[in-house]
Amino acid sequence: MKTTVLAGSAIALSLLGSAALAAACPNSDAKRDSKTAHSNAAQVVLAAHVTETATTTMPDKNIVQTAMGNENFSTLVTAIKAANLADALSGNGPFTVFAPTNAAFAKVDKAALAALLKDPEALASVLKYHVVSGKVLAADVTKLSGAVTLEGQRIDIDTSSGVKVDNAKVTSTDIVCSNGVIHVIDTVLMPSTKNLVETAVAAGSFKTLAKALDAAGLTSTLEGDGPFTVFAPTDEAFAKLPKDTLANLLKPENREQLKGILLYHVVPGRIYSDAAVKAGSAKTIQGASLAIAVKSGKAMVNNAGLVKTDIDASNGVIHVIDTVVMPPAK
């Protein structure tokens, strides 16, 4: 297979992953820090992986046909067919595919892979997590800290040492197809399979939030399809409330008041941090809007500081805040 490098291309895409919030909020997800500082070095590393002769010939094979013509992608092709995605990935696109090799699939537990190949829906979710809408060449990948996939969740792009997509190394780039481009990775990417509540419980710092959700009858809601964006107060955030406030809110007779407060922390849809800051506000399920801004170099949601962002769940995304925000009085 020939690897094609199109020098100087600039594909403009609306992909999430700007470094603006990382600069404004130093404590945000570490995987997204220092993107700009390492961009040039990462481009050199990416270029070093491209070992075949460059060509300007327009490709005549689509993504699936290209993968089928490379024996290193035989497991990927089998998975694409088993997930009923061959037609979609043969369509107009364009698509950017982070393609795991056979060696990458060999790292997956054999029983788990066999089970996936028998479950088209779950397999399709995994494969879509490797695909980004649009044609993003290597030079453009290095300018991103993340990108939203067709699965809905966001992959993280780290250029601090080589280029990594989540926990996978990019080993070859810019295999240009008629309907997009393929970048080769050495590990199969896995989207989160835990819902918002499960993700919060697993984090260990949202025990009070989980208890409050139960008391308000909202646990099943946030375990549902969504997607939702949750600005999640930590246990320490709830501890800032006056002693009697939380105890009273947890009483059955105050259930509706508690429900309103919690829903003021939930926004419909999956909204990542950079988009939230750019929007400046977000209307919550409770009805009122949250103000989102950078103040004195710190990203804020109303009076709460954003301490960690973009924690993916199967049905949404969590942003961690250090203060419980209260809805305006009606």
Side-chain angles (χ1 to χ4, degrees):
M1 178 182 298
K2 268 188 179 176
T3 303
T4 303
V5 180
L6 302 182
S9 70
I11 308 300
L13 293 171
S14 296
L15 295 175
L16 300 173
S18 135
L21 185 66
C25 185
N27 293 323
S28 63
D29 196 340
K31 293 184 293 183
R32 299 178 172 82
D33 290 347
S34 306
K35 176 192 68 174
T36 302
H38 297 289
S39 179
N40 290 337
Q43 289 184 46
V44 172
V45 172
L46 275 172
H49 287 306
V50 184
T51 57
E52 298 182 54
T53 305
T55 176
T56 56
T57 303
M58 292 300 292
D60 58 1
K61 291 183 179 180
N62 62 44
I63 287 167
V64 176
Q65 291 169 332
T66 301
M68 290 176 66
N70 187 328
E71 61 182 10
N72 290 321
F73 293 135
S74 60
T75 306
L76 176 61
V77 171
T78 296
I80 288 172
K81 291 179 179 178
N84 300 314
L85 290 177
D87 288 345
L89 293 179
S90 298
N92 291 333
F95 305 108
T96 298
V97 178
F98 293 93
T101 60
N102 293 344
F105 276 101
K107 295 180 183 180
V108 180
D109 177 79
K110 289 183 179 180
L113 181 58
L116 265 179
L117 292 171
K118 295 177 182 178
D119 186 343
E121 185 175 350
L123 181 59
S125 179
V126 170
L127 293 178
K128 287 178 182 179
Y129 189 60
H130 293 74
V131 184
V132 173
S133 180
K135 182 179 177 181
V136 192
L137 298 178
D140 303 300
V141 169
T142 61
K143 298 172 186 177
L144 304 171
S145 64
V148 178
T149 67
L150 296 190
E151 190 274 340
Q153 296 183 46
R154 172 175 168 151
I155 50 173
D156 300 320
I157 298 171
D158 182 0
T159 60
S160 60
S161 179
V163 178
K164 294 185 74 175
V165 179
D166 282 357
N167 63 329
K169 292 181 181 179
V170 177
T171 60
S172 186
T173 64
D174 292 344
I175 302 173
V176 178
C177 310
S178 62
N179 64 339
V181 62
I182 295 173
H183 304 303
V184 184
I185 56 176
D186 69 353
T187 304
V188 177
L189 309 176
M190 293 293 182
S192 174
T193 57
K194 294 179 179 178
N195 62 46
L196 289 161
V197 176
E198 291 170 332
T199 301
V201 169
S205 54
F206 301 106
K207 295 182 180 67
T208 308
L209 176 59
K211 184 177 181 180
L213 289 171
D214 279 341
L218 290 175
T219 299
S220 60
T221 299
L222 293 184
E223 290 177 334
D225 293 337
F228 305 107
T229 297
V230 178
F231 293 91
T234 60
D235 293 334
E236 289 77 10
F238 277 101
K240 291 181 182 180
L241 295 174
K243 287 185 177 180
D244 294 336
T245 299
L246 182 60
N248 287 328
L249 283 171
L250 292 173
K251 292 178 179 179
E253 60 267 29
N254 295 323
R255 178 173 175 169
E256 288 304 310
Q257 183 184 1
L258 177 61
K259 184 176 180 180
I261 292 171
L262 294 176
L263 290 179
Y264 187 56
H265 292 74
V266 183
V267 175
R270 192 187 293 264
I271 304 172
Y272 288 95
S273 55
D274 50 353
V277 170
K278 185 177 180 180
S281 65
K283 188 172 183 179
T284 69
I285 293 178
Q286 184 267 352
S289 293
L290 293 166
I292 304 170
V294 177
K295 299 178 181 179
S296 301
K298 185 177 181 180
M300 304 289 292
V301 178
N302 285 7
N303 63 323
L306 268 168
V307 296
K308 193 171 184 180
T309 63
D310 301 332
I311 301 172
D312 264 316
S314 61
N315 63 339
V317 61
I318 294 173
H319 306 302
V320 183
I321 56 176
D322 63 6
T323 304
V324 177
V325 291
M326 294 294 182
K330 293 183 178 181

